[in-house]
């Protein structure tokens, strides 16, 4: 049985002080819930946020990581640095990184491999643009993102991987995939994982949906058999909607 996993990607929002206060509110509110909850604040907020949620069941993640151990990579952050402050989870391949910073499937794969070799948990984001969907390339795009993104990952290491299906056209736009469209994309992703790693791994892999998830649509989306949680952007930035999504998500 796959665990329900709700994650909040704060993107480039909040300064350390306000992030810590907000994170503590979330930690207090979810302490008795049986849902896996993660928050991903900006890098500079990570020390304050990890401190604020210490002892709680809230996971703190980074929004990105470098694919090298250390060295001359100006502006970058390593796995070791994250782990040193208690951050053991990272989002890799978010569509904004692909779109604005030119991250390719091959580059994303290097980060995935480096992160899991360093014992980190990874949320690998995949998803098609509207143009790719409308021109009938949905399956090819997802197959490349999964097959290249997870190249070199072993069956055992798949325990460290969560996949987030985030159709690019639904991110921050207010447009959501219909539950049945989302569920069929998730089923397809699961079939790709089954082909690559076998049926058991596919059945155990958590696949989150992301793209304008809100309290109003969370229940319907999470009720789908292949949707195991959500990666939430905008609606994770304030307490009420994020908590409503977490509560609505209980299957
Ligand atoms: C995201 O950025 O991962 C996301 C899903 O954003 P939003 O919920 O705002 O669409």
């Amino acid at each position: 049985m796959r665990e329900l996993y709700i994650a909040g990607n704060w993107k480039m929002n909040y300064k350390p002080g306000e992030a810590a206060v907000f994170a503590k509110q979330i930690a207090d509110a979810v302490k008795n819930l049986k849902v896996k909850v993660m928050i991903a604040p900006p890098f500079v907020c990570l020390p304050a946020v990890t401190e604020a949620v210490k002892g709680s069941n809230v996971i703190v993640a980074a929004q990105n990581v470098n694919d090298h151990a250390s060295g001359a990579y100006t502006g970058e952050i390593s796995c070791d640095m994250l782990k040193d402050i208690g951050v053991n989870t990272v989002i890799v391949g978010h569509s904004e990184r692909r779109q604005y910073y030119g991250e390719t499937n091959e580059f994303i794969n290097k980060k995935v491999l480096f992160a899991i070799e360093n014992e980190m948990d990874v949320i690998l984001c995949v998803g098609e643009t509207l143009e790719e969907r409308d021109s009938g390339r949905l399956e090819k795009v997802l197959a490349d993102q999964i097959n290249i993104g997870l190249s070199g990952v072993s069956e055992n290491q798949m325990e460290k991987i969560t996949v987030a299906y985030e159709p690019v056209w639904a991110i921050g736009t207010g447009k959501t995939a219909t539950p049945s469209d989302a569920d069929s994309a998730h089923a397809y992703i699961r079939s790709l994982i089954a082909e690559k790693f076998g049926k058991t791994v596919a059945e155990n892999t958590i696949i989150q949906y992301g793209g304008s998830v809100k309290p109003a649509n969370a229940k319907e989306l999470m009720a789908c058999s292949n949707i195991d949680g959500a990666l939430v952007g905008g609606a994770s930035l304030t307490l009420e909607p994020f908590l409503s999504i977490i509560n609505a998500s209980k299957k």
Side-chain angles (χ1 to χ4, degrees):
M1 180 72 181
R2 295 182 297 270
E3 212 175 353
L4 195 60
Y5 187 5
I6 307 292
N9 174 13
W10 294 2
K11 308 191 185 186
M12 199 170 71
N13 292 290
Y14 295 131
K15 298 179 201 114
E18 53 202 16
V21 172
F22 182 34
K24 176 85 172 79
Q25 289 171 342
I26 294 172
D28 288 345
V30 304
K31 67 174 173 235
N32 296 319
L33 299 182
K34 290 206 168 51
V35 179
K36 188 169 168 182
V37 175
M38 177 274 253
I39 50 178
F43 283 129
V44 291
C45 299
L46 288 172
V49 168
T50 48
E51 194 54 39
V53 305
K54 208 175 233 160
S56 81
N57 49 357
V58 172
I59 297 164
V60 180
Q63 298 172 16
N64 187 24
V65 73
N66 189 262
D67 60 322
H68 293 87
S70 63
Y73 301 101
T74 302
E76 292 291 291
I77 299 285
S78 73
C79 289
D80 260 7
M81 293 171 191
L82 294 172
K83 286 170 61 183
D84 192 61
I85 56 162
V87 174
N88 298 301
T89 302
V90 62
I91 299 173
V92 176
H94 190 278
S95 66
E96 286 151 16
R97 304 264 354 142
R98 294 176 188 262
Q99 198 179 346
Y100 305 139
Y101 304 102
E103 294 196 6
T104 61
N105 287 326
E106 289 73 13
F107 182 50
I108 288 161
N109 175 243
K110 287 188 186 167
K111 297 188 190 210
V112 168
L113 290 176
F114 199 74
I116 52 177
E117 276 156 20
N118 281 277
E119 303 294 326
M120 295 193 78
D121 293 319
V122 170
I123 296 186
L124 170 65
C125 300
V126 300
E128 80 290 359
T129 63
L130 194 54
E131 194 265 321
E132 288 163 342
R133 173 173 276 259
D134 288 348
S135 59
R137 285 183 290 147
L138 170 64
E139 293 200 346
K140 164 85 175 108
V141 169
L142 292 180
D144 284 349
Q145 290 174 335
I146 291 292
N147 289 327
I148 302 171
L150 295 177
S151 172
V153 175
S154 71
E155 244 175 77
N156 287 345
Q157 287 173 325
M158 278 300 289
E159 272 181 14
K160 316 272 314 156
I161 304 280
T162 293
V163 174
Y165 169 62
E166 300 203 299
V168 179
W169 49 271
I171 295 180
T173 58
K175 290 182 194 149
T176 324
T178 63
S180 87
D181 280 349
D183 198 49
S184 65
H186 281 229
Y188 179 62
I189 291 168
R190 208 175 292 290
S191 76
L192 293 168
I193 296 172
E195 261 170 49
K196 207 168 163 52
F197 300 101
K199 205 162 180 288
T200 309
V201 169
E203 281 308 312
N204 290 336
T205 302
I206 294 175
I207 308 179
Q208 299 171 321
Y209 171 78
S212 299
V213 177
K214 307 183 262 294
N217 58 25
K219 203 176 180 64
E220 227 191 331
L221 284 162
M222 297 315 128
C224 298
S225 61
N226 279 294
I227 301 183
D228 311 314
L231 179 54
V232 186
S236 74
L237 290 175
T238 41
L239 191 61
E240 284 313 315
F242 192 49
L243 289 183
S244 305
I245 290 169
I246 291 168
N247 284 312
S249 302
K250 285 185 235 147
K251 295 212 184 189

